[in-house]
Amino acid sequence: MDCNHVLASSGKSIAERFELNLKQRPTIFVGGKIPSQPKQIPSQHLKTGNMLLKALRNLLEPRAIKIESAKNLKAKCLNKPFCAILLKGGPPEPYVKTAMKVSDTHHS
């Protein structure tokens, strides 16, 4: 991809539009449904294939995160296009597991 190509819609190059560092070689970024905007893979994750794979999984796979404050809840969940909250209190009932699986396949 020619990252120096100027986009007619914004007048910016692809690199400028998506804040890509072209000095970092190789320049690898991922985009699509998740993440909603292309994100560059940091150079520290390009040392081995396993490190790259781990970075890609972290960007692409939905995962649970621990919420510790209202600010954290807003930033990590409520301001996102999709958010599911599961409260810990014991083992989830079978219907909860089913709902989570259906939700995951529906929004993947």
Side-chain angles (χ1 to χ4, degrees), residues 3-59:
C3 291
N4 291 311
H5 174 74
V6 176
L7 301 166
S9 61
S10 66
K12 295 181 178 181
S13 71
I14 291 171
E16 291 169 333
R17 168 69 176 85
F18 297 112
E19 301 175 4
L20 302 175
N21 177 1
L22 298 181
K23 293 179 182 176
Q24 177 183 306
R25 294 289 183 193
T27 304
I28 298 176
F29 63 95
V30 63
K33 188 174 178 182
I34 301 174
S36 58
Q37 179 166 328
K39 294 192 184 223
Q40 188 164 6
I41 304 295
S43 58
Q44 68 263 25
H45 298 293
L46 303 176
K47 295 178 182 174
T48 68
N50 283 339
M51 291 176 80
L52 174 59
L53 184 61
K54 183 178 179 181
L56 290 171
R57 281 188 179 136
N58 282 336
L59 279 172

